Structure formats: structure tokens, C-alpha cells
Amino acid sequence: MSNKMRRYALLVFAALVGLVMGYLRPEVSQSLLSVVGIIVGLGYLILSRREETNKTTQKKKNSSPNQIDWYLLLQMLLYFIVGAALGATIIYIRVLY
């Protein structure tokens, strides 16, 4: 399995876990969305600033595996948020109609 496929599988897994959690526990997922969203946003901000600093200090882009792992973790959290929001929305739409 290539790195790209493994990454895609992890992102789909995170989205499906979020979807199931949002469907089974919409109240809990709705309360978690803002907290996890803020964490993901701050993580992306900090990591992007660090990458910009590395680009200006070094001519050659040196992506460490540790930094790539952090991006993958943040992307998985983002996909989890999207899945949980969709799962909770399904429940709320069913209640309304």
C-alpha cells in the first residue's frame, strides 16, 4: 500500500468515525466540534508559520517526517469534525421532518 493510499484510508476512517459518532451522539459531537475545530485551526496556523520560517532560513525545503505526521493528525481531526457534523445533521433533519 502506497503512502498516498494509506493517508487516504486514514482520512476516510476519521470521517467515518466522526459520522458514526455524530449519528449516535449528536449532542456530544456538537459540543466537541468547536473545541476540536479551534485546536485544528491553531495547529494549522502554528505548523504553517513554522514551515514558512524554515523556508526563509533554508534554501532547500526539508520536510521532516514528524511534521508530516502532525499534518496528517490535524487533517484526520478535520475530517472527524466534518463527519461528526454530517452525522448530527442527519439526526436533526430527521427530527425536523
Side-chain angles (χ1 to χ4, degrees):
M1 184 182 264
S2 69
N3 261 350
K4 190 175 184 180
M5 288 300 293
R6 191 174 316 144
R7 182 183 188 118
Y8 179 72
L10 285 173
L11 293 176
V12 168
F13 174 73
L16 289 175
V17 168
L19 184 72
V20 169
M21 184 177 173
Y23 187 77
L24 295 177
R25 299 281 218 177
E27 304 87 19
V28 174
S29 66
Q30 288 294 317
S31 64
L32 282 176
L33 290 180
S34 59
V35 174
V36 176
I38 290 170
I39 291 170
V40 169
L42 289 175
Y44 267 124
L45 178 70
I46 291 169
L47 286 177
S48 67
R49 295 290 182 198
R50 183 187 296 173
E51 186 175 317
E52 285 177 12
T53 306
N54 286 344
K55 282 183 184 177
T56 58
T57 58
Q58 299 174 355
K59 297 261 183 192
K60 205 176 189 182
K61 185 179 177 189
N62 232 355
S63 295
S64 67
N66 190 21
Q67 187 176 9
I68 293 171
D69 291 342
W70 276 108
Y71 273 123
L72 179 61
L73 178 64
L74 289 175
Q75 284 180 337
M76 285 179 68
L77 285 172
L78 187 62
Y79 274 64
F80 174 82
I81 290 170
V82 170
L86 288 175
T89 303
I90 291 170
I91 292 294
Y92 292 140
I93 287 175
R94 288 178 71 198
V95 168
L96 287 176
Y97 298 107

